[in-house]
Amino acid sequence: MTKWTTEDIVDQRGRTFVVTGANSGLGEVTARALAASGAHVVLACRDVAKGQRVAAEIGDNAEVRRLDLADLASVRDFASGIEKVDVLVNNAGVMAVPRRSTADGFEMQIGTNHLGHFALTGLLLDRVTDRVVTMSSLAHKLGTVDLADLNWERRRYRRWSAYGQSKLANLLFTYELQRRLTAAGSKVKSVAAHPGYASTNLQSHTESVWDRLMGIGDLFAQSAEMGALPELYAATAPDVSGGTFIGPDGPFEQRGYPKVVVSNRKSRDESIARGLWAQSERLTGVHYSFGS
């Protein structure tokens, strides 16, 4: 793969993208790049005011709709208002936050990063024409999906382990979704991406000493513009295959240009993936249909 940049995005005129968390960070960069390529971009944001400021700068190719992934009622309301989407970009997330719960009682990180996006994808899937892109992280290597205690009700809560579990869940979901799409004969693709180590505001919301430590680490991080390239490639490159994982091409996948990368063995465990899928349907009440 050559050093792919936003200059290589093919013309996206006539296509609609939904980007979650598009009011800041990687999501904002992604939304701006997609709109610049001609796409109509729906900025799906919890903070509508911030989203509107971004949309105003983008111009006519952008619109803002409220979406709180930590509230399934909000997810359902958002999905009911979307008529068509070519590409869904599951970008939003929270990282290493203190123990707290979503509106539906889920642990915040698994609830927002995985269950919220699982529900959103299931509710929109019959309107997706091209692909679903789900953002994971190198932190998936820190995680273990505990199907007996997905919401950290029995275990002692560890914020980074919980984050790792949610990012591992993103990959298990991506690969299982692709298997089910393939089995159904669907042409829709499910693709995952990760940004490497990119400087965004995600690192400043852990509400702990990590905010300061990661602020120092940002001196060595790549820009949000570089960090967004893998998800932009995953969302727009015509030759991306379903079930692939896109990340930076530099040392240890910390920085660089997009390439196909390999996730860990846990992310490829089909038994865990099926169990997570069944539990996600039960918890969210969203049951996927793979009709033609």
Side-chain angles (χ1 to χ4, degrees):
M1 188 182 296
T2 58
K3 302 298 184 183
W4 190 93
T5 72
T6 54
E7 296 298 317
D8 298 300
I9 298 176
V10 297
D11 190 344
Q12 298 296 315
R13 282 176 292 185
R15 285 159 62 80
T16 298
F17 290 71
V18 171
V19 182
T20 67
N23 61 280
S24 64
L26 299 175
E28 177 184 347
V29 173
T30 296
R32 289 180 183 276
L34 292 170
S37 71
H40 178 74
V41 186
V42 179
L43 282 65
C45 308
R46 183 172 59 85
D47 192 326
V48 173
K50 286 184 178 180
Q52 288 174 336
R53 287 194 288 272
V54 174
E57 293 177 3
I58 291 175
D60 292 341
N61 282 3
E63 66 170 297
V64 181
R65 299 197 187 187
R66 187 179 184 278
L67 171 65
D68 184 354
L69 289 161
D71 183 346
L72 291 178
S74 174
V75 174
R76 289 182 179 277
D77 184 62
F78 174 87
S80 69
I82 300 295
E83 295 181 358
K84 176 211 171 191
V85 53
D86 293 287
V87 180
L88 170 61
V89 182
N90 290 325
N91 166 85
V94 294
M95 182 177 74
V97 295
R99 178 70 169 94
R100 58 171 61 108
S101 299
T102 69
D104 302 280
F106 309 138
E107 183 275 316
M108 183 62 71
Q109 297 191 81
I110 196 71
T112 302
N113 299 350
H114 168 61
L115 292 171
H117 280 128
F118 178 92
L120 178 65
T121 304
L123 292 167
L124 288 179
L125 193 58
D126 63 347
R127 281 154 277 172
V128 174
T129 67
D130 184 5
R131 67 190 77 176
V132 176
V133 177
T134 301
M135 286 297 285
S136 183
S137 165
L138 285 172
H140 80 272
K141 298 176 182 179
L142 304 175
T144 297
V145 170
D146 187 340
L147 295 177
D149 191 22
L150 197 64
N151 284 299
W152 295 83
E153 295 165 327
R154 302 183 183 90
R155 294 172 286 171
R156 177 188 174 190
Y157 182 71
R158 299 180 184 276
R159 64 176 72 203
W160 284 104
S161 296
Y163 180 64
Q165 176 183 248
S166 73
K167 294 289 100 180
L168 178 57
N170 290 149
L171 286 170
L172 288 161
F173 165 66
T174 295
Y175 301 146
E176 181 66 13
L177 176 57
Q178 184 59 55
R179 285 189 288 269
R180 295 181 184 227
L181 287 166
T182 299
S186 173
K187 294 182 179 180
V188 174
K189 296 182 284 191
S190 175
V191 186
H194 82 82
Y197 184 22
S199 178
T200 71
N201 63 354
L202 187 66
Q203 290 96 322
S204 63
H205 289 83
T206 69
E207 301 176 36
S208 71
V209 68
W210 282 100
D211 290 352
R212 294 191 294 275
L213 293 175
M214 296 184 79
I216 296 171
D218 279 354
L219 296 173
F220 307 98
Q222 64 177 350
S223 66
E225 286 71 23
M226 286 296 295
L229 289 181
E231 67 180 301
L232 281 165
Y233 182 87
T236 64
D239 60 348
V240 169
S241 299
T244 54
F245 187 26
I246 309 297
D249 65 356
F252 308 106
E253 300 173 26
Q254 293 285 317
R255 58 195 305 122
Y257 297 88
K259 74 168 186 177
V260 175
V261 297
V262 179
S263 58
N264 68 2
R265 183 178 299 177
K266 289 181 181 179
S267 70
R268 299 286 180 176
D269 189 321
E270 294 187 22
S271 176
I272 295 294
R274 289 192 296 270
L276 177 64
W277 189 282
Q279 191 163 159
S280 299
E281 286 195 330
R282 179 179 63 80
L283 290 170
T284 64
V286 174
H287 298 272
Y288 278 55
S289 173
F290 291 91
S292 59

